[in-house]
Amino acid sequence: MRRKDREMDEKFALSLIDQADYGVLSFCKENKSYSRPLYFARNNRTLYFHSATQGEKVKLLSEGMDVELVFVGDIRVPKLYKKEEVKERMEKEGPRLLLNKVFTTEFSSTMARGKIRLVNAAKEKKEALRKISQGFTPDMMEFFDEAVEMSLDKVLIYAVELYEIRGKRKKFDEKGEEMKWGRME
C-alpha cells in the first residue's frame, strides 16, 4: 500500500466487507483476467457467495485458485469550507489547499486475497445460505428452512478463505484535518 498513513486495521477492513452492498471478485485464468460483482456473506475470515450451477463463472473457478476482492464504502467530496473560506485560506495556505481539501474525496475500501473453495458439505452450505439470506431478507428468515430445502441442490456455494486483508480510508474530522493512521474519531 503506497499511502501507509491511510491504512486501517483488519477490524475496520472486515467491518467494511460486512457493510458493503457488494464486492468485486477478480481472478486470472489462462492469461485472461476476470472480475465479477457479487454479494458476499462473511464468517470470520471466510467469505461466501452463491452461484447458479452452470455458466462462465462456474467453468472458470477452480478449487484452490487465488482470487482478489475489492469492497468500496462511501465515497464523497467533503464540504469542509464555503467559497469565502477557501479564498481566505488560500491566501494563508496557498493553492495546495485546493488539492488537499477541496478537490478531493473521502473514501474507504478493503482489498483482500484468498483461495477459493467449492462448498460441498450440506451443513456448511446451509449456514452460508443462511448468512447470505440474512443480508437480503432479514425479516423473512422464519421461512428460510423451508426455502433452503427446495434450493440446496439448485445452487453452488463458494467460500473464499482470506489470507490477506487490507483496509484504507481517507476521512476528515470536524476541524478539516485528515484522520491518519487508523484514527477513528
mmCIF file of all heavy atoms in Angstrom, residues 71-119:
data_model
loop_
_atom_site.group_PDB
_atom_site.id
_atom_site.type_symbol
_atom_site.label_atom_id
_atom_site.label_comp_id
_atom_site.label_asym_id
_atom_site.label_seq_id
_atom_site.Cartn_x
_atom_site.Cartn_y
_atom_site.Cartn_z
ATOM 1 N N PHE A 71 -13.801 -4.160 -1.981
ATOM 2 C CA PHE A 71 -15.048 -3.627 -1.440
ATOM 3 C C PHE A 71 -14.851 -2.133 -1.247
ATOM 4 O O PHE A 71 -13.800 -1.709 -0.762
ATOM 5 C CB PHE A 71 -15.368 -4.269 -0.084
ATOM 6 C CG PHE A 71 -15.533 -5.753 -0.162
ATOM 7 C CD1 PHE A 71 -14.433 -6.595 -0.062
ATOM 8 C CD2 PHE A 71 -16.785 -6.308 -0.345
ATOM 9 C CE1 PHE A 71 -14.580 -7.972 -0.141
ATOM 10 C CE2 PHE A 71 -16.946 -7.681 -0.426
ATOM 11 C CZ PHE A 71 -15.840 -8.522 -0.318
ATOM 12 N N VAL A 72 -15.838 -1.348 -1.622
ATOM 13 C CA VAL A 72 -15.729 0.109 -1.513
ATOM 14 C C VAL A 72 -16.868 0.629 -0.648
ATOM 15 O O VAL A 72 -18.032 0.276 -0.875
ATOM 16 C CB VAL A 72 -15.754 0.778 -2.910
ATOM 17 C CG1 VAL A 72 -15.673 2.285 -2.780
ATOM 18 C CG2 VAL A 72 -14.615 0.244 -3.765
ATOM 19 N N GLY A 73 -16.526 1.439 0.322
ATOM 20 C CA GLY A 73 -17.532 2.071 1.173
ATOM 21 C C GLY A 73 -17.975 3.383 0.564
ATOM 22 O O GLY A 73 -17.823 3.622 -0.639
ATOM 23 N N ASP A 74 -18.498 4.237 1.401
ATOM 24 C CA ASP A 74 -18.982 5.540 0.923
ATOM 25 C C ASP A 74 -17.853 6.366 0.331
ATOM 26 O O ASP A 74 -16.759 6.431 0.868
ATOM 27 C CB ASP A 74 -19.601 6.326 2.078
ATOM 28 C CG ASP A 74 -20.873 5.675 2.583
ATOM 29 O OD1 ASP A 74 -21.560 5.024 1.776
ATOM 30 O OD2 ASP A 74 -21.172 5.811 3.773
ATOM 31 N N ILE A 75 -18.169 7.004 -0.788
ATOM 32 C CA ILE A 75 -17.248 7.955 -1.415
ATOM 33 C C ILE A 75 -17.993 9.273 -1.493
ATOM 34 O O ILE A 75 -19.135 9.318 -1.940
ATOM 35 C CB ILE A 75 -16.833 7.504 -2.828
ATOM 36 C CG1 ILE A 75 -16.095 6.177 -2.760
ATOM 37 C CG2 ILE A 75 -15.971 8.569 -3.494
ATOM 38 C CD1 ILE A 75 -15.772 5.600 -4.117
ATOM 39 N N ARG A 76 -17.340 10.328 -1.039
ATOM 40 C CA ARG A 76 -17.998 11.635 -1.112
ATOM 41 C C ARG A 76 -16.949 12.729 -1.131
ATOM 42 O O ARG A 76 -15.824 12.553 -0.669
ATOM 43 C CB ARG A 76 -18.965 11.832 0.040
ATOM 44 C CG ARG A 76 -18.333 11.957 1.388
ATOM 45 C CD ARG A 76 -19.396 12.162 2.484
ATOM 46 N NE ARG A 76 -18.769 12.627 3.683
ATOM 47 C CZ ARG A 76 -18.582 13.894 4.030
ATOM 48 N NH1 ARG A 76 -18.976 14.860 3.239
ATOM 49 N NH2 ARG A 76 -18.008 14.225 5.161
ATOM 50 N N VAL A 77 -17.333 13.840 -1.681
ATOM 51 C CA VAL A 77 -16.489 15.033 -1.664
ATOM 52 C C VAL A 77 -16.778 15.755 -0.352
ATOM 53 O O VAL A 77 -17.937 16.077 -0.070
ATOM 54 C CB VAL A 77 -16.794 15.947 -2.874
ATOM 55 C CG1 VAL A 77 -16.004 17.241 -2.783
ATOM 56 C CG2 VAL A 77 -16.512 15.214 -4.172
ATOM 57 N N PRO A 78 -15.763 15.981 0.461
ATOM 58 C CA PRO A 78 -16.023 16.667 1.736
ATOM 59 C C PRO A 78 -16.354 18.138 1.501
ATOM 60 O O PRO A 78 -15.787 18.786 0.626
ATOM 61 C CB PRO A 78 -14.706 16.515 2.498
ATOM 62 C CG PRO A 78 -13.673 16.356 1.443
ATOM 63 C CD PRO A 78 -14.349 15.651 0.294
ATOM 64 N N LYS A 79 -17.281 18.636 2.259
ATOM 65 C CA LYS A 79 -17.649 20.057 2.196
ATOM 66 C C LYS A 79 -17.061 20.723 3.429
ATOM 67 O O LYS A 79 -17.753 21.027 4.396
ATOM 68 C CB LYS A 79 -19.173 20.214 2.171
ATOM 69 C CG LYS A 79 -19.849 19.466 1.044
ATOM 70 C CD LYS A 79 -19.539 20.081 -0.291
ATOM 71 C CE LYS A 79 -20.349 19.377 -1.375
ATOM 72 N NZ LYS A 79 -19.784 19.495 -2.670
ATOM 73 N N LEU A 80 -15.757 20.937 3.389
ATOM 74 C CA LEU A 80 -15.043 21.460 4.555
ATOM 75 C C LEU A 80 -15.168 22.972 4.684
ATOM 76 O O LEU A 80 -15.150 23.501 5.794
ATOM 77 C CB LEU A 80 -13.567 21.067 4.482
ATOM 78 C CG LEU A 80 -13.282 19.557 4.464
ATOM 79 C CD1 LEU A 80 -11.811 19.294 4.221
ATOM 80 C CD2 LEU A 80 -13.750 18.911 5.753
ATOM 81 N N TYR A 81 -15.250 23.677 3.543
ATOM 82 C CA TYR A 81 -15.244 25.141 3.571
ATOM 83 C C TYR A 81 -16.269 25.707 2.602
ATOM 84 O O TYR A 81 -16.555 25.132 1.557
ATOM 85 C CB TYR A 81 -13.871 25.685 3.181
ATOM 86 C CG TYR A 81 -12.728 25.009 3.886
ATOM 87 C CD1 TYR A 81 -11.855 24.182 3.199
ATOM 88 C CD2 TYR A 81 -12.513 25.206 5.251
ATOM 89 C CE1 TYR A 81 -10.795 23.559 3.842
ATOM 90 C CE2 TYR A 81 -11.463 24.581 5.904
ATOM 91 C CZ TYR A 81 -10.616 23.759 5.190
ATOM 92 O OH TYR A 81 -9.582 23.136 5.836
ATOM 93 N N LYS A 82 -16.755 26.881 2.931
ATOM 94 C CA LYS A 82 -17.566 27.652 1.994
ATOM 95 C C LYS A 82 -16.620 28.391 1.052
ATOM 96 O O LYS A 82 -15.425 28.503 1.322
ATOM 97 C CB LYS A 82 -18.433 28.649 2.776
ATOM 98 C CG LYS A 82 -19.494 27.966 3.635
ATOM 99 C CD LYS A 82 -20.345 29.018 4.326
ATOM 100 C CE LYS A 82 -21.556 28.491 4.969
ATOM 101 N NZ LYS A 82 -21.568 27.592 6.002
ATOM 102 N N LYS A 83 -17.137 28.908 -0.061
ATOM 103 C CA LYS A 83 -16.297 29.589 -1.051
ATOM 104 C C LYS A 83 -15.442 30.688 -0.428
ATOM 105 O O LYS A 83 -14.254 30.813 -0.724
ATOM 106 C CB LYS A 83 -17.153 30.202 -2.162
ATOM 107 C CG LYS A 83 -17.592 29.251 -3.205
ATOM 108 C CD LYS A 83 -18.306 30.019 -4.309
ATOM 109 C CE LYS A 83 -18.932 29.079 -5.297
ATOM 110 N NZ LYS A 83 -19.625 29.794 -6.365
ATOM 111 N N GLU A 84 -16.062 31.502 0.435
ATOM 112 C CA GLU A 84 -15.334 32.624 1.049
ATOM 113 C C GLU A 84 -14.163 32.108 1.897
ATOM 114 O O GLU A 84 -13.087 32.702 1.904
ATOM 115 C CB GLU A 84 -16.261 33.474 1.931
ATOM 116 C CG GLU A 84 -17.501 34.019 1.228
ATOM 117 C CD GLU A 84 -18.600 32.981 1.024
ATOM 118 O OE1 GLU A 84 -18.845 32.140 1.907
ATOM 119 O OE2 GLU A 84 -19.206 33.012 -0.064
ATOM 120 N N GLU A 85 -14.405 30.988 2.599
ATOM 121 C CA GLU A 85 -13.355 30.413 3.435
ATOM 122 C C GLU A 85 -12.198 29.882 2.595
ATOM 123 O O GLU A 85 -11.042 29.992 2.985
ATOM 124 C CB GLU A 85 -13.914 29.282 4.303
ATOM 125 C CG GLU A 85 -14.869 29.740 5.381
ATOM 126 C CD GLU A 85 -15.511 28.570 6.102
ATOM 127 O OE1 GLU A 85 -16.279 27.817 5.452
ATOM 128 O OE2 GLU A 85 -15.222 28.414 7.304
ATOM 129 N N VAL A 86 -12.511 29.306 1.436
ATOM 130 C CA VAL A 86 -11.462 28.792 0.552
ATOM 131 C C VAL A 86 -10.567 29.945 0.109
ATOM 132 O O VAL A 86 -9.339 29.839 0.151
ATOM 133 C CB VAL A 86 -12.063 28.056 -0.666
ATOM 134 C CG1 VAL A 86 -10.992 27.735 -1.701
ATOM 135 C CG2 VAL A 86 -12.787 26.787 -0.226
ATOM 136 N N LYS A 87 -11.182 31.063 -0.273
ATOM 137 C CA LYS A 87 -10.397 32.220 -0.703
ATOM 138 C C LYS A 87 -9.490 32.720 0.415
ATOM 139 O O LYS A 87 -8.302 32.987 0.207
ATOM 140 C CB LYS A 87 -11.323 33.342 -1.183
ATOM 141 C CG LYS A 87 -12.020 33.030 -2.489
ATOM 142 C CD LYS A 87 -13.005 34.107 -2.876
ATOM 143 C CE LYS A 87 -13.778 33.705 -4.112
ATOM 144 N NZ LYS A 87 -14.814 34.651 -4.452
ATOM 145 N N GLU A 88 -10.027 32.843 1.622
ATOM 146 C CA GLU A 88 -9.236 33.295 2.778
ATOM 147 C C GLU A 88 -8.093 32.327 3.084
ATOM 148 O O GLU A 88 -6.960 32.751 3.292
ATOM 149 C CB GLU A 88 -10.130 33.403 4.024
ATOM 150 C CG GLU A 88 -11.064 34.576 4.042
ATOM 151 C CD GLU A 88 -11.979 34.542 5.273
ATOM 152 O OE1 GLU A 88 -11.584 33.970 6.314
ATOM 153 O OE2 GLU A 88 -13.097 35.077 5.165
ATOM 154 N N ARG A 89 -8.394 31.051 3.123
ATOM 155 C CA ARG A 89 -7.383 30.048 3.474
ATOM 156 C C ARG A 89 -6.299 29.943 2.408
ATOM 157 O O ARG A 89 -5.142 29.674 2.723
ATOM 158 C CB ARG A 89 -8.034 28.703 3.725
ATOM 159 C CG ARG A 89 -8.885 28.690 4.996
ATOM 160 C CD ARG A 89 -9.428 27.314 5.260
ATOM 161 N NE ARG A 89 -8.378 26.445 5.761
ATOM 162 C CZ ARG A 89 -8.272 26.044 7.022
ATOM 163 N NH1 ARG A 89 -9.154 26.433 7.910
ATOM 164 N NH2 ARG A 89 -7.300 25.251 7.395
ATOM 165 N N MET A 90 -6.672 30.133 1.131
ATOM 166 C CA MET A 90 -5.673 30.064 0.064
ATOM 167 C C MET A 90 -4.643 31.176 0.213
ATOM 168 O O MET A 90 -3.468 30.984 -0.113
ATOM 169 C CB MET A 90 -6.329 30.118 -1.308
ATOM 170 C CG MET A 90 -6.859 28.763 -1.737
ATOM 171 S SD MET A 90 -7.501 28.755 -3.401
ATOM 172 C CE MET A 90 -6.172 29.409 -4.358
ATOM 173 N N GLU A 91 -5.072 32.349 0.704
ATOM 174 C CA GLU A 91 -4.128 33.446 0.921
ATOM 175 C C GLU A 91 -3.076 33.042 1.953
ATOM 176 O O GLU A 91 -1.908 33.421 1.828
ATOM 177 C CB GLU A 91 -4.868 34.699 1.378
ATOM 178 C CG GLU A 91 -5.673 35.346 0.274
ATOM 179 C CD GLU A 91 -6.431 36.575 0.751
ATOM 180 O OE1 GLU A 91 -6.052 37.165 1.778
ATOM 181 O OE2 GLU A 91 -7.414 36.942 0.078
ATOM 182 N N LYS A 92 -3.466 32.250 2.962
ATOM 183 C CA LYS A 92 -2.542 31.822 4.012
ATOM 184 C C LYS A 92 -1.805 30.533 3.642
ATOM 185 O O LYS A 92 -0.610 30.410 3.878
ATOM 186 C CB LYS A 92 -3.304 31.592 5.328
ATOM 187 C CG LYS A 92 -3.935 32.832 5.889
ATOM 188 C CD LYS A 92 -4.765 32.496 7.121
ATOM 189 C CE LYS A 92 -5.604 33.691 7.528
ATOM 190 N NZ LYS A 92 -6.583 33.346 8.539
ATOM 191 N N GLU A 93 -2.549 29.559 3.082
ATOM 192 C CA GLU A 93 -2.002 28.225 2.865
ATOM 193 C C GLU A 93 -1.541 27.966 1.436
ATOM 194 O O GLU A 93 -0.829 27.004 1.178
ATOM 195 C CB GLU A 93 -3.046 27.164 3.248
ATOM 196 C CG GLU A 93 -3.459 27.239 4.713
ATOM 197 C CD GLU A 93 -4.589 26.285 5.043
ATOM 198 O OE1 GLU A 93 -4.583 25.135 4.551
ATOM 199 O OE2 GLU A 93 -5.488 26.697 5.800
ATOM 200 N N GLY A 94 -1.963 28.779 0.494
ATOM 201 C CA GLY A 94 -1.568 28.607 -0.894
ATOM 202 C C GLY A 94 -2.484 27.649 -1.642
ATOM 203 O O GLY A 94 -3.412 27.076 -1.078
ATOM 204 N N PRO A 95 -2.212 27.462 -2.933
ATOM 205 C CA PRO A 95 -3.089 26.668 -3.792
ATOM 206 C C PRO A 95 -3.104 25.171 -3.454
ATOM 207 O O PRO A 95 -3.978 24.447 -3.897
ATOM 208 C CB PRO A 95 -2.535 26.901 -5.195
ATOM 209 C CG PRO A 95 -1.131 27.345 -4.995
ATOM 210 C CD PRO A 95 -1.093 28.050 -3.677
ATOM 211 N N ARG A 96 -2.159 24.706 -2.665
ATOM 212 C CA ARG A 96 -2.127 23.295 -2.264
ATOM 213 C C ARG A 96 -3.423 22.907 -1.536
ATOM 214 O O ARG A 96 -3.857 21.760 -1.580
ATOM 215 C CB ARG A 96 -0.912 23.079 -1.367
ATOM 216 C CG ARG A 96 -0.419 21.714 -1.274
ATOM 217 C CD ARG A 96 0.572 21.405 -2.393
ATOM 218 N NE ARG A 96 0.858 19.993 -2.286
ATOM 219 C CZ ARG A 96 0.755 19.163 -3.291
ATOM 220 N NH1 ARG A 96 0.440 19.586 -4.473
ATOM 221 N NH2 ARG A 96 1.011 17.902 -3.131
ATOM 222 N N LEU A 97 -4.029 23.879 -0.872
ATOM 223 C CA LEU A 97 -5.297 23.663 -0.180
ATOM 224 C C LEU A 97 -6.348 23.089 -1.131
ATOM 225 O O LEU A 97 -7.129 22.212 -0.755
ATOM 226 C CB LEU A 97 -5.810 24.975 0.421
ATOM 227 C CG LEU A 97 -7.235 24.938 0.971
ATOM 228 C CD1 LEU A 97 -7.237 24.346 2.367
ATOM 229 C CD2 LEU A 97 -7.841 26.314 0.970
ATOM 230 N N LEU A 98 -6.344 23.584 -2.381
ATOM 231 C CA LEU A 98 -7.330 23.124 -3.364
ATOM 232 C C LEU A 98 -7.214 21.620 -3.599
ATOM 233 O O LEU A 98 -8.223 20.911 -3.642
ATOM 234 C CB LEU A 98 -7.161 23.867 -4.685
ATOM 235 C CG LEU A 98 -7.478 25.362 -4.655
ATOM 236 C CD1 LEU A 98 -7.127 25.999 -5.995
ATOM 237 C CD2 LEU A 98 -8.933 25.609 -4.289
ATOM 238 N N LEU A 99 -5.996 21.128 -3.729
ATOM 239 C CA LEU A 99 -5.799 19.698 -3.981
ATOM 240 C C LEU A 99 -6.066 18.854 -2.746
ATOM 241 O O LEU A 99 -6.646 17.776 -2.832
ATOM 242 C CB LEU A 99 -4.374 19.438 -4.475
ATOM 243 C CG LEU A 99 -4.009 20.050 -5.813
ATOM 244 C CD1 LEU A 99 -2.568 19.744 -6.148
ATOM 245 C CD2 LEU A 99 -4.933 19.566 -6.905
ATOM 246 N N ASN A 100 -5.620 19.342 -1.597
ATOM 247 C CA ASN A 100 -5.703 18.540 -0.380
ATOM 248 C C ASN A 100 -7.062 18.547 0.299
ATOM 249 O O ASN A 100 -7.409 17.579 0.980
ATOM 250 C CB ASN A 100 -4.646 19.004 0.624
ATOM 251 C CG ASN A 100 -3.247 18.738 0.126
ATOM 252 O OD1 ASN A 100 -3.025 17.857 -0.684
ATOM 253 N ND2 ASN A 100 -2.294 19.514 0.606
ATOM 254 N N LYS A 101 -7.838 19.635 0.140
ATOM 255 C CA LYS A 101 -9.060 19.729 0.932
ATOM 256 C C LYS A 101 -10.299 20.196 0.167
ATOM 257 O O LYS A 101 -11.381 20.246 0.739
ATOM 258 C CB LYS A 101 -8.827 20.641 2.129
ATOM 259 C CG LYS A 101 -7.787 20.062 3.084
ATOM 260 C CD LYS A 101 -7.736 20.789 4.372
ATOM 261 C CE LYS A 101 -6.737 20.136 5.306
ATOM 262 N NZ LYS A 101 -6.581 20.876 6.538
ATOM 263 N N VAL A 102 -10.173 20.536 -1.100
ATOM 264 C CA VAL A 102 -11.341 20.976 -1.867
ATOM 265 C C VAL A 102 -11.625 19.978 -2.995
ATOM 266 O O VAL A 102 -12.707 19.410 -3.068
ATOM 267 C CB VAL A 102 -11.146 22.408 -2.432
ATOM 268 C CG1 VAL A 102 -12.340 22.813 -3.282
ATOM 269 C CG2 VAL A 102 -10.930 23.398 -1.291
ATOM 270 N N PHE A 103 -10.662 19.756 -3.869
ATOM 271 C CA PHE A 103 -10.817 18.820 -4.980
ATOM 272 C C PHE A 103 -10.262 17.458 -4.565
ATOM 273 O O PHE A 103 -9.220 17.002 -5.050
ATOM 274 C CB PHE A 103 -10.118 19.343 -6.234
ATOM 275 C CG PHE A 103 -10.786 20.556 -6.802
ATOM 276 C CD1 PHE A 103 -10.339 21.833 -6.471
ATOM 277 C CD2 PHE A 103 -11.886 20.432 -7.637
ATOM 278 C CE1 PHE A 103 -10.964 22.959 -6.984
ATOM 279 C CE2 PHE A 103 -12.516 21.551 -8.156
ATOM 280 C CZ PHE A 103 -12.057 22.818 -7.824
ATOM 281 N N THR A 104 -10.960 16.821 -3.651
ATOM 282 C CA THR A 104 -10.543 15.533 -3.112
ATOM 283 C C THR A 104 -11.778 14.726 -2.747
ATOM 284 O O THR A 104 -12.901 15.222 -2.844
ATOM 285 C CB THR A 104 -9.622 15.728 -1.886
ATOM 286 O OG1 THR A 104 -9.039 14.475 -1.537
ATOM 287 C CG2 THR A 104 -10.377 16.318 -0.704
ATOM 288 N N THR A 105 -11.589 13.511 -2.350
ATOM 289 C CA THR A 105 -12.705 12.670 -1.906
ATOM 290 C C THR A 105 -12.357 12.000 -0.585
ATOM 291 O O THR A 105 -11.196 11.751 -0.291
ATOM 292 C CB THR A 105 -13.034 11.563 -2.929
ATOM 293 O OG1 THR A 105 -11.861 10.771 -3.148
ATOM 294 C CG2 THR A 105 -13.543 12.122 -4.226
ATOM 295 N N GLU A 106 -13.392 11.714 0.174
ATOM 296 C CA GLU A 106 -13.280 10.822 1.314
ATOM 297 C C GLU A 106 -13.732 9.457 0.813
ATOM 298 O O GLU A 106 -14.655 9.365 0.000
ATOM 299 C CB GLU A 106 -14.188 11.264 2.464
ATOM 300 C CG GLU A 106 -13.753 12.558 3.105
ATOM 301 C CD GLU A 106 -14.636 12.940 4.277
ATOM 302 O OE1 GLU A 106 -15.884 12.848 4.141
ATOM 303 O OE2 GLU A 106 -14.096 13.340 5.318
ATOM 304 N N PHE A 107 -13.089 8.401 1.297
ATOM 305 C CA PHE A 107 -13.430 7.057 0.841
ATOM 306 C C PHE A 107 -13.003 6.037 1.881
ATOM 307 O O PHE A 107 -12.219 6.330 2.782
ATOM 308 C CB PHE A 107 -12.738 6.733 -0.491
ATOM 309 C CG PHE A 107 -11.242 6.679 -0.371
ATOM 310 C CD1 PHE A 107 -10.600 5.505 0.006
ATOM 311 C CD2 PHE A 107 -10.475 7.806 -0.609
ATOM 312 C CE1 PHE A 107 -9.220 5.468 0.139
ATOM 313 C CE2 PHE A 107 -9.097 7.776 -0.480
ATOM 314 C CZ PHE A 107 -8.468 6.595 -0.103
ATOM 315 N N SER A 108 -13.494 4.830 1.713
ATOM 316 C CA SER A 108 -12.992 3.692 2.472
ATOM 317 C C SER A 108 -13.037 2.489 1.544
ATOM 318 O O SER A 108 -13.924 2.367 0.688
ATOM 319 C CB SER A 108 -13.830 3.450 3.735
ATOM 320 O OG SER A 108 -15.178 3.280 3.405
ATOM 321 N N SER A 109 -12.054 1.604 1.683
ATOM 322 C CA SER A 109 -12.005 0.423 0.829
ATOM 323 C C SER A 109 -11.307 -0.716 1.554
ATOM 324 O O SER A 109 -10.523 -0.501 2.468
ATOM 325 C CB SER A 109 -11.293 0.725 -0.495
ATOM 326 O OG SER A 109 -9.948 1.098 -0.263
ATOM 327 N N THR A 110 -11.627 -1.907 1.110
ATOM 328 C CA THR A 110 -10.949 -3.111 1.586
ATOM 329 C C THR A 110 -10.495 -3.887 0.369
ATOM 330 O O THR A 110 -11.255 -4.067 -0.581
ATOM 331 C CB THR A 110 -11.886 -3.990 2.434
ATOM 332 O OG1 THR A 110 -12.192 -3.300 3.640
ATOM 333 C CG2 THR A 110 -11.245 -5.323 2.780
ATOM 334 N N MET A 111 -9.247 -4.320 0.406
ATOM 335 C CA MET A 111 -8.697 -5.193 -0.614
ATOM 336 C C MET A 111 -8.296 -6.475 0.090
ATOM 337 O O MET A 111 -7.707 -6.434 1.166
ATOM 338 C CB MET A 111 -7.495 -4.549 -1.294
ATOM 339 C CG MET A 111 -7.907 -3.323 -2.105
ATOM 340 S SD MET A 111 -6.892 -1.842 -1.900
ATOM 341 C CE MET A 111 -6.985 -1.444 -0.199
ATOM 342 N N ALA A 112 -8.649 -7.601 -0.491
ATOM 343 C CA ALA A 112 -8.355 -8.877 0.155
ATOM 344 C C ALA A 112 -7.915 -9.899 -0.885
ATOM 345 O O ALA A 112 -8.233 -9.774 -2.064
ATOM 346 C CB ALA A 112 -9.591 -9.384 0.899
ATOM 347 N N ARG A 113 -7.184 -10.881 -0.396
ATOM 348 C CA ARG A 113 -6.769 -12.006 -1.236
ATOM 349 C C ARG A 113 -7.132 -13.294 -0.504
ATOM 350 O O ARG A 113 -7.086 -13.348 0.722
ATOM 351 C CB ARG A 113 -5.269 -11.968 -1.488
ATOM 352 C CG ARG A 113 -4.858 -10.830 -2.388
ATOM 353 C CD ARG A 113 -3.399 -10.962 -2.787
ATOM 354 N NE ARG A 113 -3.114 -9.972 -3.792
ATOM 355 C CZ ARG A 113 -2.217 -9.010 -3.664
ATOM 356 N NH1 ARG A 113 -1.492 -8.922 -2.570
ATOM 357 N NH2 ARG A 113 -2.030 -8.138 -4.629
ATOM 358 N N GLY A 114 -7.463 -14.305 -1.295
ATOM 359 C CA GLY A 114 -7.800 -15.583 -0.689
ATOM 360 C C GLY A 114 -7.799 -16.701 -1.704
ATOM 361 O O GLY A 114 -7.553 -16.488 -2.882
ATOM 362 N N LYS A 115 -8.056 -17.884 -1.185
ATOM 363 C CA LYS A 115 -8.161 -19.080 -2.023
ATOM 364 C C LYS A 115 -9.609 -19.520 -2.068
ATOM 365 O O LYS A 115 -10.298 -19.527 -1.061
ATOM 366 C CB LYS A 115 -7.295 -20.206 -1.463
ATOM 367 C CG LYS A 115 -5.814 -19.918 -1.580
ATOM 368 C CD LYS A 115 -5.039 -21.197 -1.729
ATOM 369 C CE LYS A 115 -3.567 -20.910 -1.917
ATOM 370 N NZ LYS A 115 -3.225 -20.573 -3.279
ATOM 371 N N ILE A 116 -10.037 -19.904 -3.246
ATOM 372 C CA ILE A 116 -11.436 -20.277 -3.431
ATOM 373 C C ILE A 116 -11.633 -21.775 -3.223
ATOM 374 O O ILE A 116 -10.731 -22.558 -3.490
ATOM 375 C CB ILE A 116 -11.933 -19.829 -4.822
ATOM 376 C CG1 ILE A 116 -13.440 -19.770 -4.830
ATOM 377 C CG2 ILE A 116 -11.441 -20.730 -5.907
ATOM 378 C CD1 ILE A 116 -13.975 -18.664 -5.658
ATOM 379 N N ARG A 117 -12.815 -22.090 -2.727
ATOM 380 C CA ARG A 117 -13.166 -23.488 -2.495
ATOM 381 C C ARG A 117 -14.660 -23.654 -2.718
ATOM 382 O O ARG A 117 -15.451 -22.811 -2.316
ATOM 383 C CB ARG A 117 -12.719 -23.827 -1.077
ATOM 384 C CG ARG A 117 -13.501 -24.750 -0.272
ATOM 385 C CD ARG A 117 -12.882 -24.985 1.112
ATOM 386 N NE ARG A 117 -13.342 -24.080 2.132
ATOM 387 C CZ ARG A 117 -14.519 -24.181 2.736
ATOM 388 N NH1 ARG A 117 -15.386 -25.116 2.405
ATOM 389 N NH2 ARG A 117 -14.861 -23.321 3.674
ATOM 390 N N LEU A 118 -15.026 -24.738 -3.368
ATOM 391 C CA LEU A 118 -16.432 -25.071 -3.561
ATOM 392 C C LEU A 118 -16.919 -25.760 -2.287
ATOM 393 O O LEU A 118 -16.284 -26.694 -1.800
ATOM 394 C CB LEU A 118 -16.600 -26.000 -4.762
ATOM 395 C CG LEU A 118 -18.028 -26.399 -5.127
ATOM 396 C CD1 LEU A 118 -18.867 -25.174 -5.489
ATOM 397 C CD2 LEU A 118 -18.010 -27.388 -6.293
ATOM 398 N N VAL A 119 -18.019 -25.288 -1.743
ATOM 399 C CA VAL A 119 -18.565 -25.856 -0.510
ATOM 400 C C VAL A 119 -19.457 -27.038 -0.890
ATOM 401 O O VAL A 119 -20.430 -26.873 -1.630
ATOM 402 C CB VAL A 119 -19.380 -24.802 0.281
ATOM 403 C CG1 VAL A 119 -20.036 -25.432 1.504
ATOM 404 C CG2 VAL A 119 -18.486 -23.639 0.677
#
